Structure formats: structure tokens, C-alpha cells
Amino acid sequence: MLSRLAEAFYWIGRYLERAEATARLLAEHYHLTVEDRSVPEDVAAAVVLDALSLPHDVISSPTELVRALLGDVANPSTVIGAVGAARENARSVRDALPGDVFEALNGAHLTLTRGLTAAASPGASMFRVLERLMIVNGAIEWTMTRDEGHYFLSLGRALERVDMTARLLDVRHDLVWPDTGPVATLRSAAALSAFLRTGETLTGDTVREFLVLDPTFPRTLLHSARAAEEAVRGLQVQGGVDDAALVREVGLMRARLEFAGGTHDPSVIDQLCHDTQVSGVATAAAVADSYFRQAGTIVWSH
């Protein structure tokens, strides 16, 4: 596959995952700040923006936070910007992409850019965004051939999920809102039902351990690292490039989590979260070195 095409598929996966994870986090955080007024609104907004590496100098209310994270097409760190960037990458590989996927992605882009998300309350609007993104992801899973394009898209999605799950855990809802924060963290990862089925006591520490080390839920760090390695192995089967550094990085990321299973020490869990996020960045750099050797790499803002 041409480097240009591979990079476009990879970034479609990253941008779609970023948009979905940001929308989920925003929806739950908005509900939390509106329903629990025990924390000043500017402090509540700052914890999210810091975790997402976004400026927060002029944001002091839940409504302003929604406006900032919805963003615009010029900022790929926001929901609208990420969906727009995914659509542009999809447009560049439209001949290699199923028509259903492009149409679903284009529909999500139009929903956001035409202001339809402002018709209801901010929280309800975010769930409307998530519905559109679920349609896109469903079209991808139902209609894309499992070839190199799908492997690159899956690799991008897995690495972005590692990064966004680590950023979600950086928000520390459990410390800012001890009573309601753990549930908000789980709902931000769509993990509340999955966690409750484990039978664990619902606390900040058990929630963090679950989102780092559970091997079966698809949004945990361990499961995402396994998915990234699986995509790299799939690309290896296609052959043709020197990807030893990439295989080493993604293998180390997965193994560090795999062999930490059974630990319940909160400080170890926090260190694993940090180390995995760092490994994700190193793995992404190795992907670029191995496969994206053209000039003009797409800029990623965080």
C-alpha cells in the first residue's frame, strides 16, 4: 500500500476515536458539573482541559466548556475538528474506502458543522454526536475488507484509545467528586455495565485498576495495547517493511500491562497508566518511521 494511503487510513482511525472519546468525556463531565455543584465551575472545567492539553484561560462554566470541546473544523483536538479531519482523510482515500463508510462519516460531519448539536441541551447533544459516530464505526466494521487499510485504521484507533483512556484517568473524577466521580469515569468510557458485572466494590481505585488492566473490555489500556499489537502483526503478514522497532515498542507496551495483572496497588496502577501513555507515543513514532516516509505528515496537535 502507498505510504500516503496508509497514513490516511491510520489517521481516520485516530481522529474517529478522538472524537468519540472526547464526546463521551464531555457528556459525562457536563452532567457531573451541573448535578453536583460542590466544586467551582472553573475548577471543574480546568481538570478536563488540563487532561486534554487544551488552554482554559477564559473558560469558567459548563456551557463554555461544551463550546470549547465541540470546537471548530480548524482544531483537530476538538470533537468537530477531529470528525472534520477524519472526513478529509477519508476523502483522500475515497476510492479505497467503502461508500457506506464515507457517507456515514460525511453525515456525522454535516450534523456537527451545521449546528444541529445545539438544538438540544449540551449533554443530549453529545449523545447525538455519539450516535452518529456509532453509525460510522458500524459501517467500518460491517463493510471494510480486512486488508492493509483496515489494519492501519485499527492501529490508529487502538493507539488513540490508549492515549484517550490515559487522559480520562488523568481527570481524576474520583478525587474531585469522591461520591459521584467513579461512576462518571466509568460512563465516560462506556464501562459502567462492564465494571458492575465484575462484582468489584465501586471505588476510585477499583475503577482505575479496571480501566487499566481488564483484559476483556475494549476500552481498557491492556485491551487497547493488545489490539495495537494485533494490527501490527497483521501488517507484518503483509510484509515488505523493516518494522522491528515498531514490533518492539508495541510488544513492550502490551507486555508491561500483561505481566502487571493481579496488582492492586494504586501507585503501581497510576505508574502503569503513565508508562503506557508514553509507550503509545513511542509506538506512534515507530509507526511513522516504518510506514509514513513521505514529507508532509499530518500535524497532530496533542
Side-chain angles (χ1 to χ4, degrees):
M1 171 175 279
L2 293 175
S3 175
R4 175 182 62 81
L5 299 179
E7 189 167 11
F9 277 110
Y10 172 82
W11 281 101
I12 291 171
R14 292 209 70 144
Y15 284 130
L16 284 176
E17 183 63 29
R18 186 182 306 177
E20 182 179 351
T22 304
R24 286 187 188 281
L25 174 59
L26 178 56
E28 297 305 328
H29 193 79
Y30 177 82
H31 282 156
L32 192 60
T33 54
V34 170
E35 293 173 2
D36 187 343
R37 300 283 187 176
S38 61
V39 177
E41 292 179 344
D42 57 337
V43 174
V47 295
V48 169
L49 294 167
D50 283 342
L52 297 178
S53 304
L54 291 170
H56 54 79
D57 295 341
V58 296
I59 297 173
S60 59
S61 72
T63 303
E64 290 176 352
L65 178 66
V66 170
R67 191 177 299 119
L69 291 189
L70 269 177
D72 55 52
V73 293
N75 186 353
S77 296
T78 64
V79 176
I80 292 177
V83 171
R87 176 180 174 274
E88 285 306 302
N89 279 279
R91 195 162 61 86
S92 70
V93 294
R94 190 167 180 178
D95 290 344
L97 200 65
D100 289 340
V101 174
F102 184 80
E103 289 173 11
L105 185 48
N106 196 47
H109 171 73
L110 292 176
T111 298
L112 287 164
T113 54
R114 289 178 178 175
L116 299 182
T117 56
S121 70
S125 297
M126 286 303 95
F127 286 110
R128 193 172 183 178
V129 173
L130 291 173
E131 288 177 353
R132 300 300 306 189
L133 293 173
M134 287 178 185
I135 293 172
V136 177
N137 287 322
I140 288 171
E141 295 308 314
W142 295 341
T143 65
M144 275 193 75
T145 302
R146 270 41 178 179
D147 57 7
E148 286 175 286
H150 192 270
Y151 283 129
F152 277 112
L153 191 152
S154 299
L155 178 56
R157 179 165 52 194
L159 292 180
E160 187 71 21
R161 190 167 290 180
V162 165
D163 185 70
M164 292 304 294
T165 299
R167 290 176 185 274
L168 166 63
L169 295 175
D170 278 345
V171 175
R172 297 310 306 258
H173 285 122
D174 56 319
L175 296 182
V176 183
W177 294 273
D179 295 331
T180 53
V183 172
T185 299
L186 286 169
R187 287 175 59 89
S188 297
L192 180 57
S193 296
F195 177 86
L196 294 178
R197 279 197 291 272
T198 66
E200 292 284 345
T201 304
L202 181 56
T203 68
D205 288 340
T206 55
V207 165
R208 294 175 69 76
E209 181 182 334
F210 175 82
L211 290 176
V212 172
L213 291 178
D214 187 89
T216 56
F217 185 68
R219 294 185 183 278
T220 66
L221 293 183
L222 175 55
H223 194 282
S224 300
R226 285 178 175 176
E229 185 176 28
E230 183 179 339
V232 170
R233 298 293 183 189
L235 290 171
Q236 265 194 320
V237 172
Q238 307 295 322
V241 301
D242 177 12
D243 60 355
L246 171 58
V247 172
R248 182 174 61 253
E249 290 292 348
V250 76
L252 284 172
M253 179 171 63
R254 190 267 308 158
R256 187 179 292 116
L257 293 162
E258 197 90 58
F259 292 104
T263 183
H264 302 293
D265 185 338
S267 63
V268 174
I269 297 298
D270 288 347
Q271 188 62 48
L272 279 171
C273 182
H274 172 75
D275 292 346
T276 305
Q277 190 174 25
V278 173
S279 289
V281 173
T283 303
V287 173
D289 290 341
S290 298
Y291 291 103
F292 311 149
R293 291 172 178 163
Q294 292 183 346
T297 298
I298 300 167
V299 173
W300 186 38
S301 60
H302 77 268

Tab-separated table of all heavy atoms in Angstrom, residues 141-167:
chain	number	residue	atom	x	y	z
A	141	GLU	N	-16.894	-1.586	10.458
A	141	GLU	CA	-16.793	-2.999	10.829
A	141	GLU	C	-17.593	-3.905	9.905
A	141	GLU	O	-17.248	-5.076	9.713
A	141	GLU	CB	-17.252	-3.191	12.277
A	141	GLU	CG	-16.350	-2.503	13.289
A	141	GLU	CD	-14.885	-2.876	13.108
A	141	GLU	OE1	-14.572	-4.068	12.954
A	141	GLU	OE2	-14.043	-1.952	13.095
A	142	TRP	N	-18.672	-3.383	9.322
A	142	TRP	CA	-19.535	-4.222	8.504
A	142	TRP	C	-19.131	-4.257	7.039
A	142	TRP	O	-19.487	-5.200	6.327
A	142	TRP	CB	-20.988	-3.723	8.595
A	142	TRP	CG	-21.610	-3.845	9.953
A	142	TRP	CD1	-21.194	-4.657	10.986
A	142	TRP	CD2	-22.734	-3.128	10.450
A	142	TRP	NE1	-21.985	-4.475	12.087
A	142	TRP	CE2	-22.949	-3.545	11.793
A	142	TRP	CE3	-23.586	-2.173	9.908
A	142	TRP	CZ2	-23.980	-3.042	12.581
A	142	TRP	CZ3	-24.617	-1.669	10.695
A	142	TRP	CH2	-24.796	-2.106	12.016
A	143	THR	N	-18.415	-3.238	6.567
A	143	THR	CA	-18.212	-3.145	5.117
A	143	THR	C	-16.755	-3.118	4.669
A	143	THR	O	-16.500	-3.268	3.477
A	143	THR	CB	-18.901	-1.881	4.548
A	143	THR	OG1	-18.267	-0.713	5.092
A	143	THR	CG2	-20.389	-1.857	4.893
A	144	MET	N	-15.800	-2.921	5.588
A	144	MET	CA	-14.398	-2.828	5.146
A	144	MET	C	-13.744	-4.196	5.041
A	144	MET	O	-13.842	-5.019	5.963
A	144	MET	CB	-13.572	-1.964	6.116
A	144	MET	CG	-13.650	-0.477	5.844
A	144	MET	SD	-12.393	0.452	6.765
A	144	MET	CE	-10.909	0.052	5.802
A	145	THR	N	-13.079	-4.423	3.942
A	145	THR	CA	-12.262	-5.628	3.788
A	145	THR	C	-11.124	-5.614	4.796
A	145	THR	O	-10.535	-4.565	5.063
A	145	THR	CB	-11.671	-5.686	2.361
A	145	THR	OG1	-12.747	-5.671	1.431
A	145	THR	CG2	-10.816	-6.922	2.170
A	146	ARG	N	-10.819	-6.771	5.366
A	146	ARG	CA	-9.722	-6.852	6.358
A	146	ARG	C	-8.394	-6.899	5.638
A	146	ARG	O	-7.680	-7.906	5.625
A	146	ARG	CB	-9.909	-8.064	7.247
A	146	ARG	CG	-10.728	-7.838	8.513
A	146	ARG	CD	-11.931	-6.981	8.329
A	146	ARG	NE	-12.705	-6.830	9.564
A	146	ARG	CZ	-13.793	-6.109	9.681
A	146	ARG	NH1	-14.271	-5.427	8.622
A	146	ARG	NH2	-14.429	-6.005	10.818
A	147	ASP	N	-8.017	-5.789	5.020
A	147	ASP	CA	-6.748	-5.696	4.305
A	147	ASP	C	-5.844	-4.690	5.017
A	147	ASP	O	-6.082	-4.331	6.176
A	147	ASP	CB	-7.005	-5.288	2.852
A	147	ASP	CG	-7.779	-3.980	2.763
A	147	ASP	OD1	-7.999	-3.338	3.814
A	147	ASP	OD2	-8.151	-3.594	1.643
A	148	GLU	N	-4.818	-4.196	4.327
A	148	GLU	CA	-3.885	-3.263	4.963
A	148	GLU	C	-4.586	-1.994	5.448
A	148	GLU	O	-4.251	-1.449	6.500
A	148	GLU	CB	-2.778	-2.907	3.982
A	148	GLU	CG	-1.780	-4.016	3.761
A	148	GLU	CD	-0.790	-3.623	2.695
A	148	GLU	OE1	-1.164	-3.624	1.496
A	148	GLU	OE2	0.351	-3.306	3.050
A	149	GLY	N	-5.539	-1.505	4.660
A	149	GLY	CA	-6.245	-0.297	5.064
A	149	GLY	C	-6.936	-0.463	6.402
A	149	GLY	O	-6.867	0.407	7.275
A	150	HIS	N	-7.590	-1.607	6.581
A	150	HIS	CA	-8.267	-1.855	7.858
A	150	HIS	C	-7.262	-2.012	8.986
A	150	HIS	O	-7.498	-1.561	10.114
A	150	HIS	CB	-9.144	-3.100	7.745
A	150	HIS	CG	-10.082	-3.268	8.899
A	150	HIS	ND1	-9.747	-3.971	10.038
A	150	HIS	CD2	-11.345	-2.800	9.117
A	150	HIS	CE1	-10.756	-3.948	10.889
A	150	HIS	NE2	-11.740	-3.246	10.359
A	151	TYR	N	-6.116	-2.656	8.709
A	151	TYR	CA	-5.100	-2.792	9.761
A	151	TYR	C	-4.580	-1.423	10.197
A	151	TYR	O	-4.385	-1.163	11.392
A	151	TYR	CB	-3.936	-3.656	9.274
A	151	TYR	CG	-4.237	-5.132	9.260
A	151	TYR	CD1	-3.989	-5.899	8.126
A	151	TYR	CD2	-4.753	-5.772	10.377
A	151	TYR	CE1	-4.256	-7.255	8.100
A	151	TYR	CE2	-5.034	-7.127	10.364
A	151	TYR	CZ	-4.781	-7.865	9.222
A	151	TYR	OH	-5.056	-9.210	9.206
A	152	PHE	N	-4.310	-0.534	9.237
A	152	PHE	CA	-3.811	0.788	9.614
A	152	PHE	C	-4.873	1.570	10.385
A	152	PHE	O	-4.568	2.257	11.360
A	152	PHE	CB	-3.386	1.567	8.362
A	152	PHE	CG	-2.008	1.224	7.899
A	152	PHE	CD1	-1.797	0.556	6.697
A	152	PHE	CD2	-0.900	1.565	8.663
A	152	PHE	CE1	-0.526	0.224	6.273
A	152	PHE	CE2	0.385	1.233	8.250
A	152	PHE	CZ	0.575	0.567	7.047
A	153	LEU	N	-6.126	1.479	9.945
A	153	LEU	CA	-7.200	2.164	10.667
A	153	LEU	C	-7.322	1.612	12.090
A	153	LEU	O	-7.450	2.377	13.057
A	153	LEU	CB	-8.512	2.003	9.899
A	153	LEU	CG	-9.699	2.870	10.350
A	153	LEU	CD1	-10.635	3.134	9.154
A	153	LEU	CD2	-10.491	2.247	11.477
A	154	SER	N	-7.251	0.292	12.226
A	154	SER	CA	-7.367	-0.332	13.551
A	154	SER	C	-6.190	0.053	14.447
A	154	SER	O	-6.359	0.269	15.658
A	154	SER	CB	-7.438	-1.853	13.413
A	154	SER	OG	-8.572	-2.241	12.663
A	155	LEU	N	-4.992	0.128	13.851
A	155	LEU	CA	-3.818	0.517	14.635
A	155	LEU	C	-3.965	1.954	15.136
A	155	LEU	O	-3.680	2.247	16.305
A	155	LEU	CB	-2.554	0.371	13.776
A	155	LEU	CG	-1.233	0.779	14.417
A	155	LEU	CD1	-0.989	0.017	15.718
A	155	LEU	CD2	-0.074	0.550	13.433
A	156	GLY	N	-4.407	2.850	14.250
A	156	GLY	CA	-4.616	4.227	14.675
A	156	GLY	C	-5.659	4.333	15.770
A	156	GLY	O	-5.476	5.048	16.756
A	157	ARG	N	-6.756	3.591	15.625
A	157	ARG	CA	-7.818	3.625	16.632
A	157	ARG	C	-7.312	3.101	17.968
A	157	ARG	O	-7.600	3.674	19.027
A	157	ARG	CB	-9.006	2.800	16.148
A	157	ARG	CG	-10.163	2.739	17.130
A	157	ARG	CD	-11.427	2.230	16.473
A	157	ARG	NE	-11.230	0.973	15.768
A	157	ARG	CZ	-12.077	0.446	14.902
A	157	ARG	NH1	-13.188	1.092	14.605
A	157	ARG	NH2	-11.832	-0.704	14.320
A	158	ALA	N	-6.518	2.014	17.954
A	158	ALA	CA	-6.033	1.419	19.207
A	158	ALA	C	-5.058	2.360	19.926
A	158	ALA	O	-5.128	2.531	21.149
A	158	ALA	CB	-5.356	0.080	18.918
A	159	LEU	N	-4.152	2.983	19.177
A	159	LEU	CA	-3.189	3.885	19.820
A	159	LEU	C	-3.875	5.136	20.358
A	159	LEU	O	-3.510	5.660	21.414
A	159	LEU	CB	-2.086	4.260	18.831
A	159	LEU	CG	-1.151	3.118	18.431
A	159	LEU	CD1	-0.093	3.607	17.444
A	159	LEU	CD2	-0.466	2.524	19.670
A	160	GLU	N	-4.874	5.643	19.627
A	160	GLU	CA	-5.612	6.803	20.134
A	160	GLU	C	-6.403	6.420	21.380
A	160	GLU	O	-6.533	7.221	22.316
A	160	GLU	CB	-6.552	7.330	19.053
A	160	GLU	CG	-7.230	8.645	19.431
A	160	GLU	CD	-6.281	9.841	19.441
A	160	GLU	OE1	-5.222	9.757	18.799
A	160	GLU	OE2	-6.594	10.836	20.104
A	161	ARG	N	-6.921	5.195	21.413
A	161	ARG	CA	-7.691	4.751	22.588
A	161	ARG	C	-6.788	4.650	23.809
A	161	ARG	O	-7.202	4.987	24.916
A	161	ARG	CB	-8.371	3.413	22.283
A	161	ARG	CG	-9.363	2.986	23.333
A	161	ARG	CD	-10.235	1.857	22.855
A	161	ARG	NE	-11.169	2.289	21.812
A	161	ARG	CZ	-12.046	1.502	21.229
A	161	ARG	NH1	-12.116	0.233	21.577
A	161	ARG	NH2	-12.857	1.965	20.297
A	162	VAL	N	-5.557	4.186	23.619
A	162	VAL	CA	-4.596	4.172	24.725
A	162	VAL	C	-4.410	5.583	25.263
A	162	VAL	O	-4.471	5.839	26.479
A	162	VAL	CB	-3.235	3.601	24.254
A	162	VAL	CG1	-2.141	3.921	25.260
A	162	VAL	CG2	-3.331	2.090	24.059
A	163	ASP	N	-4.201	6.520	24.363
A	163	ASP	CA	-3.950	7.899	24.783
A	163	ASP	C	-5.170	8.511	25.463
A	163	ASP	O	-5.055	9.135	26.524
A	163	ASP	CB	-3.561	8.737	23.559
A	163	ASP	CG	-3.177	10.157	23.947
A	163	ASP	OD1	-2.106	10.323	24.565
A	163	ASP	OD2	-3.942	11.092	23.643
A	164	MET	N	-6.362	8.320	24.891
A	164	MET	CA	-7.555	8.960	25.439
A	164	MET	C	-7.992	8.314	26.753
A	164	MET	O	-8.515	8.994	27.638
A	164	MET	CB	-8.697	8.920	24.417
A	164	MET	CG	-8.450	9.782	23.181
A	164	MET	SD	-8.095	11.533	23.520
A	164	MET	CE	-9.641	12.099	24.211
A	165	THR	N	-7.800	7.005	26.906
A	165	THR	CA	-8.126	6.373	28.191
A	165	THR	C	-7.190	6.882	29.279
A	165	THR	O	-7.614	7.156	30.411
A	165	THR	CB	-8.035	4.842	28.086
A	165	THR	OG1	-8.982	4.382	27.112
A	165	THR	CG2	-8.349	4.177	29.415
A	166	ALA	N	-5.904	7.047	28.945
A	166	ALA	CA	-4.957	7.605	29.916
A	166	ALA	C	-5.332	9.041	30.265
A	166	ALA	O	-5.247	9.457	31.434
A	166	ALA	CB	-3.538	7.550	29.348
A	167	ARG	N	-5.773	9.808	29.288
A	167	ARG	CA	-6.194	11.190	29.563
A	167	ARG	C	-7.453	11.215	30.430
A	167	ARG	O	-7.598	12.071	31.308
A	167	ARG	CB	-6.429	11.942	28.245
A	167	ARG	CG	-5.151	12.240	27.473
A	167	ARG	CD	-5.446	12.905	26.134
A	167	ARG	NE	-4.230	13.088	25.353
A	167	ARG	CZ	-3.416	14.135	25.464
A	167	ARG	NH1	-3.707	15.095	26.308
A	167	ARG	NH2	-2.332	14.223	24.721
